[in-house]
Amino acid sequence: MRSLGEIGDLEGYIDRTTTILVYCSKGYFQSRNCMRELISATIKQKPAIALIDPDASHGGRSGEEVRSQRREAGGSYAKWGFDAATTPGGQALSDHLVTNEPIEWNRECALPTASTQRPR
């Protein structure tokens, strides 16, 4: 896994990756750079996997909230300086992002009990 070193080369990072994982947080679809990432992946037909976190206390959104934000993303193109004539619309971004089944992140897990813990 590689860290994003230079945000100006965001599209270059998409060129060099095979699949992107999109953490569909509260602000993802409202961020110009996040949308650059998704637009680039859509144009280049790079596989994308949506990670949905239903826990709002951690910045997550329900599946329906994520769907709504994806569709509305195209409405911000003008303020971000994207050319609406050449940039995939919100529905195209949405369709691309859910080509693969979204993954739901659930933080809850079974905690070990005294009877299941290994002796030290």
Side-chain angles (χ1 to χ4, degrees):
M1 186 167 163
R2 204 173 217 182
S3 173
L4 182 61
E6 175 54 49
I7 197 73
D9 189 32
L10 186 61
E11 289 78 4
Y13 282 96
I14 298 300
D15 283 337
R16 294 184 296 275
T17 193
T18 55
T19 303
I20 68 166
L21 178 65
V22 175
Y23 178 74
C24 299
S25 66
K26 176 181 179 180
Y28 183 87
F29 299 97
Q30 299 163 351
S31 163
R32 181 183 188 279
N33 286 329
C34 291
M35 296 316 308
R36 282 177 53 208
E37 173 185 67
L38 185 56
I39 288 166
S40 182
T42 301
I43 289 170
K44 296 169 184 178
Q45 290 300 295
K46 295 285 184 158
I49 300 170
L51 180 63
I52 297 174
D53 180 357
D55 188 344
S57 69
H58 289 278
R61 291 286 173 248
S62 72
E64 183 51 44
E65 289 170 316
V66 169
R67 281 186 288 281
S68 176
Q69 286 184 328
R70 286 191 322 248
R71 287 189 299 264
E72 294 169 6
S76 297
Y77 285 2
K79 78 174 183 179
W80 290 330
F82 298 157
D83 181 356
T86 60
T87 304
Q91 187 62 49
L93 298 178
S94 181
D95 291 347
H96 182 74
L97 187 55
V98 296
T99 300
N100 296 301
E101 185 69 27
I103 297 171
E104 186 173 301
W105 178 336
N106 292 297
R107 287 181 163 71
E108 294 184 23
C109 64
L111 297 175
T113 62
S115 64
T116 62
Q117 291 180 345
R118 293 186 187 153
R120 294 185 184 176

